[in-house]
């Protein structure tokens, strides 16, 4: 090795190199040190903003929105059919019973989607290193829909038992 060779840490600061480095960096308008030049760690948690949203959480939230739209459409169709059912005589036609069966199957399919949404939302919440907001929102919305459905079914069963 060359005895005159010094590593960067052993070299003395050269005033000409220091002046050249300061000339290259843009001046700070505040007249002080720029926070970018200090090399000090930022007091803000940068990792938190670098996290990605969880895929299962986004899926759960999307399922909850799709089922909400599905319920709105289903109950609008049921409301329009209720007038036709009420105006008829005591006999139910084949068309009326088929439409009631179709609406019932649609509601059961939407409830099955809500159950899947809750499961996927819980998976989205349990993932580490991911944002959890969509998983939490999807799980809450899907769970509330399931709870409302169970309350609606129990109310119908109580009223049917009272007849």
């Amino acid at each position: 090795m060359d005895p005159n060779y010094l590593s960067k840490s052993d070299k003395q600061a050269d005033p000409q190199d220091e002046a050249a480095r300061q000339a290259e960096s843009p001046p700070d308008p505040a007249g002080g040190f720029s926070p970018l030049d200090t090399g000090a760690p930022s007091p803000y948690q940068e990792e938190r903003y670098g996290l990605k949203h969880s895929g299962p959480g986004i899926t759960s939230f999307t399922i909850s929105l799709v089922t909400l739209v599905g319920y709105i459409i289903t109950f609008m169709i049921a409301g329009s059919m209720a007038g036709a059912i009420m105006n008829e005589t005591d006999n139910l036609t084949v068309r009326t019973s088929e439409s009631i069966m179709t609406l019932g199957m649609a509601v059961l399919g939407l409830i099955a989607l809500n159950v899947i949404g809750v499961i996927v939302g819980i998976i989205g919440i349990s993932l580490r290193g991911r944002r959890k907001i969509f998983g939490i929102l999807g799980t809450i919305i899907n769970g509330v829909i399931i709870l409302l459905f169970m309350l609606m079914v129990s109310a119908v069963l109580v009223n049917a038992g009272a007849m």
Side-chain angles (χ1 to χ4, degrees), residues 9-96:
S9 62
D10 294 337
K11 286 185 179 179
Q12 296 292 331
D14 187 17
Q16 292 176 350
D17 290 339
E18 186 69 29
R21 192 173 71 225
Q22 286 179 357
E24 290 174 3
S25 66
D28 186 20
F33 291 104
S34 172
L36 299 176
D37 294 338
T38 60
S42 172
Y44 302 106
Q45 292 180 351
E46 293 180 17
E47 327 176 330
R48 181 173 176 97
Y49 298 109
L51 295 178
K52 292 182 179 180
H53 291 285
S54 68
I58 294 172
T59 304
S60 174
F61 184 69
T62 305
I63 288 173
S64 69
L65 295 180
V66 167
T67 57
L68 278 175
V69 171
Y71 283 117
I72 291 170
I73 291 171
T74 301
F75 286 119
M76 285 175 49
I77 292 171
S80 67
M81 285 180 25
I85 292 172
M86 297 295 180
N87 291 337
E88 292 182 11
T89 60
D90 292 338
N91 299 333
L92 287 176
T93 62
V94 173
R95 181 177 164 264
T96 305

Side-chain angles (χ1 to χ4, degrees), residues 75-138:
F75 286 119
M76 285 175 49
I77 292 171
S80 67
M81 285 180 25
I85 292 172
M86 297 295 180
N87 291 337
E88 292 182 11
T89 60
D90 292 338
N91 299 333
L92 287 176
T93 62
V94 173
R95 181 177 164 264
T96 305
S97 61
E98 284 178 357
S99 60
I100 291 172
M101 182 66 146
T102 304
L103 286 174
M105 294 303 286
V107 169
L108 288 177
L110 291 170
I111 283 295
L113 272 176
N114 285 124
V115 170
I116 292 170
V118 166
I119 293 169
V120 172
I122 292 171
I123 292 170
I125 292 171
S126 65
L127 289 178
R128 291 185 180 181
R130 299 289 182 150
R131 290 188 180 179
K132 299 175 183 348
I133 186 68
F134 284 117
I136 292 169
L137 288 174

